[in-house]
């Protein structure tokens, strides 16, 4: 699975103007604050329910994502990772969490918090992971293996939340 | 594991599939450093695969120049263009015409290969950004499976053919030009006579003269529909173009019938290929050729070519399809029924709805901010189109999308559905609907942030909208990131193009103001640059100009006329208060561009791929031979001896053709003809002979052509592949000897 996205949701409202993300992401590029090659900042604030501001990377993008009407920080993996899918998810979430914590610590983000108990995984590959119930069931064991490690064996609800078969397979994790 | 190639087998036209396979082979060759980077660059450009800013491997991060170290190291996909660097993919949409299935596939591709955003360009194309080169063959396949192509979307080729988005439903048109735009697109795509240009070539169609729509007068080749004594035809224009200095097109032929336009276009292409400048890229557009020889001489040259053209059935073959060209509603018309209208509908109706010529129907414009929409919005748009209009969808050069044949009674529902997904913005075609090129967001040539400025102006104007005078609301603003005019600033009422000025030890982003362009009359005239202002002062300048226009305009006076009346001195006086730049310590915001917190710099400007080197026709042709030979090697590895033999033989034909075209440009594709011409021009003359092998390698081609093998084994296939290799090498050597240069691959 080469391309997939993981997303954490904002806890509460967005306490800053989206434009404030631009200098933050630019500074992360200057200081190479995240793993991997960081390239540029793309501004899509003008697009409703879009990716708003994206930190473009080679291995992955980070976006303050407003899609689905729910704001959050999304990590889109673009280059393949070694190992099993559960390992890839773990790596992706580790990098997402690092970015989320960094963002939370930025003064201009005015105390934003991310909910770590709910997350979303989107498989951006209609060839190997089309949005079908049988595909979801095939992937479920790998996702479960990831959640067991990630949430320390605690109960996690895993459900496919995108009904439109044209769209990408989208899985919601809810840690109880 | 299934691949997209396997999944789409049978769903892609055979020739398209083969061309994509060839490109994929060339990609593999380049990755192994077995294909020259310049040849590969032109190859990929002609498949719509563009570079983006920072693909030279460095970026000014506001503090220092940072090296971008990609895993592929120094491997390139073109001169100074690193392999792994994100690129752009341009998708052609002839005359802007789309169907529902295509919308859905475009949405899929944005999700899987890009950043989830689709961008409509100023030439009715789509662009996807941040695409990896290795994803491009599958992108092409998935597009081809729904009838879309990226072929010749970039490079020294015939670019997308544009046409009025109202073609077929317009009140003022002479007739629907879309079927003619479609026919010319199919005819010129990949045509032999369009492969040897020194620069790009842009074509447009317009149904009427007085409105903007087709903008034929600013195109390399333009067709303006007319009916003369009951006969359909076109006034044909040639030699227009924007770029750094705009040129108005001139009339090539006052009236060309529908039977004449395809051969005429072909003849123009041949003249351009033969006589157009190829060394000096800055003078290589056809407008310079027309200027240099004069329009009378250019007409004569075209006539001469017309007489020499071998007949082609396709010149008139398309006419049988014209009456059946798809332009009909999906639903029966019914009127608005007097029920309460949704909030915002009336304001939207005023600007976004155009009553069609056909009673009971309207065209709805979807006002896309900066030409962008998400994949989710695109899926929603597909649903709306499916429900209300079917495949009656077009993109526009104002970077919007229109739905045609909307029954008037459906307008409130369509509006509500669009608004629900953020596509219900009003003010389409007004001053708020600003056109912008990508600029420094992604373009290597961008100097200042055209999209950043456009975003800011749009936001401010939207906030002021209720108080804007009507005369101001009708103005067009267009922004380019540099002087190359991809944002079409020359034809705006108020245009801007990015540049830079020095202030102390710093560079400051500025925009040159271009006033008084004429959008109407098919881009009737061009604006004049009147002065540069700091980027951060442009909103104030815009307010000053529009405020004064609203106050001073005489009844019915256009902006263009007012600018003329105002005069240069007065305009300068109007701008003077805004041109100064405060010291960095006083206000550092002037030293950053809109939407970019970095200290402004021009160090990220790269070499544009529009201005790359011209690659010879032989190089482009022999690259195809190399790719086919590569496929032969792959087939041999996979023990597919039939395919290995076939591919090896075809690679020899392609290599022979590459040589033959220097002697017989019109040799065509027929193998018998190619071999005959090769024998005549290169074997019998002994031009192909080298000092040691003489004509030995030519015999490989002749033998295989005369006697295909009866059985296919590893031994026979291996021998064929090896002989093909030697033949191709001999073709390279022959070309080198004849041209007096050494070509390295």
């Amino acid at each position: 699975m080469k391309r997939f996205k993981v997303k954490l949701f904002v806890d509460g409202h967005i306490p800053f103007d989206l434009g404030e993300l631009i200098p933050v992401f630019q500074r992360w590029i200057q200081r190479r604050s995240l793993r991997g090659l960081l390239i540029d900042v793309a501004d899509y604030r003008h697009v409703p329910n879009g990716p708003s501001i994206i930190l473009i990377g080679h291995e992955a993008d980070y976006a303050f994502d407003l899609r689905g009407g729910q704001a959050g920080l999304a990590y889109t993996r673009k280059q393949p990772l070694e190992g099993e899918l559960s390992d890839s998810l773990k790596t992706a979430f580790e990098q997402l969490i690092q970015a989320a914590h960094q963002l939370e610590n930025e003064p201009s983000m005015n105390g934003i918090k991310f909910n770590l108990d709910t997350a979303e995984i989107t498989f951006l590959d209609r060839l190997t992971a089309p949005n079908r119930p049988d595909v979801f069931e095939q992937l479920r064991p790998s996702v479960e293996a990831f959640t067991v490690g990630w949430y320390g064996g605690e109960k996690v609800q895993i459900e496919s939340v995108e009904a439109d078969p044209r769209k990408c397979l989208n899985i919601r994790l809810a840690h109880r | 594991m299934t691949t997209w190639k396997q999944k789409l087998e049978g769903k892609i036209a055979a020739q398209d599939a083969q061309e994509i396979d060839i490109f994929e082979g060339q990609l593999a060759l380049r990755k192994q450093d077995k294909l020259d980077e310049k040849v590969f660059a032109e190859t990929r450009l002609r498949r719509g695969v563009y570079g983006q800013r920072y693909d030279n491997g460095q970026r000014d991060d506001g503090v220092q120049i940072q090296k971008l170290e990609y895993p592929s190291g120094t491997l390139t996909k073109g001169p100074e263009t690193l392999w792994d660097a994100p690129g752009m993919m341009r998708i052609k949409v002839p005359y802007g015409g789309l169907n529902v299935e295509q919308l859905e596939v475009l949405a899929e591709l944005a999700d899987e290969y890009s950043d989830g955003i689709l961008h409509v360009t100023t030439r009715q194309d789509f662009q996807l950004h941040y695409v990896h080169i290795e994803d491009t063959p599958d992108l092409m396949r998935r597009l081809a499976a729904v009838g879309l192509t990226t072929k010749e979307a970039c490079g020294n080729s015939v670019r997308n053919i544009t046409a009025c988005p109202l073609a077929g439903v317009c009140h003022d048109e002479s007739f629907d030009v879309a079927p003619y735009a479609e026919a010319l697109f199919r005819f010129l795509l990949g045509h032999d006579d369009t492969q040897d240009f020194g620069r790009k070539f842009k074509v447009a169609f317009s149904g009427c003269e007085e409105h903007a729509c087709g903008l034929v007068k600013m195109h390399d080749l333009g067709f303006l529909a007319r009916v003369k004594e009951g006969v359909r035809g076109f006034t044909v224009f040639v030699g227009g173009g924007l770029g750094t200095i705009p040129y108005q097109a001139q009339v090539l032929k006052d009236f060309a019938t529908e039977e004449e336009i395809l051969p005429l276009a072909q003849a123009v292409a041949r003249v351009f290929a033969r006589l157009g400048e190829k060394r000096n890229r800055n003078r290589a557009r056809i407008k310079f050729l027309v200027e240099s020889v004069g329009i009378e001489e250019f007409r004569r040259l075209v006539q001469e070519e017309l007489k020499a053209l071998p007949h082609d059935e396709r010149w008139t073959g398309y006419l049988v399809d014209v009456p059946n060209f798809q332009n009909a509603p999906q639903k029966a018309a019914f009127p608005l029924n007097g029920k309460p209208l949704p909030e915002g509908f009336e304001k939207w109706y005023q600007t976004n709805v155009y009553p069609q010529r056909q009673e009971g129907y309207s065209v709805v414009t979807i006002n896309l901010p900066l030409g962008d929409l998400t994949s989710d919005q695109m899926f929603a748009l597909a649903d709306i189109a499916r429900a209300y209009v079917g495949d009656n969808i077009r993109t526009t050069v104002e970077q919007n999308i229109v739905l045609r044949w909307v029954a008037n009674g459906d307008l409130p529902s369509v509006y509500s559905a669009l608004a629900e997904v953020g596509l219900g913005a009003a003010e389409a075609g007004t001053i708020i609907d600003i056109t912008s090129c990508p600029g420094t967001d992604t373009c290597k040539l961008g100097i200042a942030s055209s999209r950043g400025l456009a975003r800011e102006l749009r936001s401010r104007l939207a906030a002021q909208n209720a108080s804007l005078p009507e005369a101001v609301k009708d103005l067009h603003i267009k922004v380019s990131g540099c002087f190359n005019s991809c944002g079409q600033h020359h034809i705006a009422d108020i245009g801007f193009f990015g540049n830079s000025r020095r202030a102390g030890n710093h560079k400051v982003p500025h925009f040159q103001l271009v006033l008084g362009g004429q959008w109407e009359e098919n881009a009737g005239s061009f604006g004049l640059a009147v002065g540069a202002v700091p980027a951060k002062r442009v909103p104030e300048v815009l307010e000053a100009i529009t405020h004064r226009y609203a106050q001073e305009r005489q009844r019915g006076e256009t902006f263009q006329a007012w600018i003329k009346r105002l005069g240069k001195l007065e305009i300068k006086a109007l701008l003077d208060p805004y041109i100064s730049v405060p010291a960095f310590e006083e206000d550092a915001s002037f030293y950053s561009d809109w939407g970019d917190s970095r200290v402004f710099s021009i160090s990220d400007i790269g070499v544009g791929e529009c201005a790359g080197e011209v690659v010879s026709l032989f190089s482009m042709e022999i690259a195809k031979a190399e790719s086919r030979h590569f496929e032969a090697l792959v087939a041999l590895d996979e023990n597919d001896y039939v395919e290995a033999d076939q591919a090896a033989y075809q690679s020899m034909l392609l290599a022979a053709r590459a040589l033959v075209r220097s002697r017989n440009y019109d040799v065509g594709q027929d193998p018998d003809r190619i071999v005959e011409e090769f024998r005549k021009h290169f074997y019998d003359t002994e031009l192909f002979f080298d000092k040691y092998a003489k004509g030995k390698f030519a015999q490989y081609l002749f033998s295989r052509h005369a006697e295909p093998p009866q059985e296919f084994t590893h031994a026979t296939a291996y021998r064929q592949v090896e002989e093909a290799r030697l033949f191709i090498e001999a073709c390279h050597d022959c070309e080198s000897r004849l041209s007096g240069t050494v070509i390295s691959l």
Side-chain angles (χ1 to χ4, degrees), chain B residues 349-363:
Chain B
Y349 183 88
Q350 291 304 316
T351 53
N352 292 40
V353 176
Y354 171 87
Q356 289 181 199
R357 179 174 82 235
Q358 296 87 358
E359 184 81 31
Y361 292 97
S362 296
V363 176

Side-chain angles (χ1 to χ4, degrees), chain B residues 579-657:
Chain B
I579 61 174
S580 65
V581 176
F584 186 88
E585 298 73 27
E586 196 184 318
D587 190 345
S589 71
F590 275 70
Y591 297 79
S592 297
D593 211 339
W594 290 108
D596 190 341
S597 56
R598 292 176 292 171
V599 174
F600 178 74
S601 159
I602 57 170
S603 55
D604 287 325
I605 296 173
V607 176
E609 297 200 302
C610 287
E613 279 191 46
V614 171
V615 172
S616 72
L617 182 63
F618 174 81
S619 296
M620 293 300 297
E621 296 272 339
I622 201 80
K624 295 176 195 170
E626 295 286 358
S627 293
R628 198 69 182 110
H629 188 265
F630 182 75
E631 290 177 350
L633 285 170
V634 171
L636 189 64
D637 260 355
E638 293 173 353
N639 300 324
D640 186 346
Y641 305 130
V642 174
E643 170 59 15
D645 173 86
Q646 188 67 13
Y649 166 57
Q650 285 169 354
S651 73
M652 288 199 287
L653 286 173
L654 286 166
R657 184 171 185 268

Side-chain angles (χ1 to χ4, degrees), chain A residues 1-3 5 19-32 36-59 61 63 65-69 76-79 122-128 130 132 162 164-168, chain B residues 1-4 7 53-54 59-64 66-71 84-86 104 107-117 129-130 132 134-135 138 142 369-370 372-377 379-380 382-383 386 420-423 440-442 451 455 458 595-598:
Chain A
M1 184 78 58
K2 179 175 154 183
R3 200 167 176 119
K5 182 171 79 172
E20 293 297 328
L21 284 161
I22 295 173
V24 169
F25 284 169
Q26 292 283 11
R27 200 175 339 105
W28 289 5
I29 295 174
Q30 284 168 9
R31 297 178 184 173
R32 303 183 201 225
L37 176 58
L38 304 177
I39 301 168
D40 196 18
V41 180
D43 184 355
Y44 290 116
R45 283 176 287 164
H46 51 280
V47 183
N49 286 345
S52 83
I53 310 289
I54 310 178
L55 171 52
I56 303 284
H58 170 65
E59 295 86 355
D61 294 341
D65 187 85
L66 305 177
R67 278 177 281 210
T76 301
R77 185 73 196 181
K78 303 191 291 186
Q79 296 298 321
T122 309
F123 293 101
L124 302 168
D125 187 339
R126 288 175 174 83
L127 185 67
T128 56
R132 292 195 321 246
E162 179 52 72
D164 189 339
R166 298 173 302 176
K167 296 191 182 176
C168 293
Chain B
M1 187 162 56
T2 308
T3 62
W4 275 110
K7 189 174 163 90
R53 206 169 179 88
Y54 318 120
R59 179 179 182 273
D60 188 329
D61 65 11
V63 174
Q64 61 178 353
Q66 219 185 80
K67 255 181 92 62
L68 301 171
E69 296 187 3
Y70 291 100
D84 276 329
E104 290 174 332
E108 290 179 2
L109 301 179
D111 276 340
E112 294 182 53
Y113 303 111
S114 180
D115 53 5
I117 295 286
H129 293 99
Y130 309 107
H132 194 279
E134 293 181 27
D135 287 331
D138 279 346
R142 293 171 73 173
L370 307 187
D372 293 340
L373 72 164
T374 65
S375 53
D376 285 341
Q377 287 178 313
F379 279 120
D383 290 337
R386 187 179 283 115
E420 198 176 321
V421 293
L423 293 175
T440 53
D441 279 26
T442 52
R451 278 168 61 92
R455 191 181 294 115
R458 193 184 159 97
D596 190 341
S597 56
R598 292 176 292 171

Side-chain angles (χ1 to χ4, degrees), chain B residues 52 87-91 106 109-111 113-119 126-131 139 143:
Chain B
Q52 275 188 211
M88 178 268 279
M89 191 86 170
R90 183 176 292 153
I91 300 153
L106 286 166
L109 301 179
D111 276 340
Y113 303 111
S114 180
D115 53 5
I117 295 286
L118 291 136
H119 175 72
F126 272 99
Q127 281 178 188
L128 295 172
H129 293 99
Y130 309 107
V131 174
L139 244 160
L143 289 165

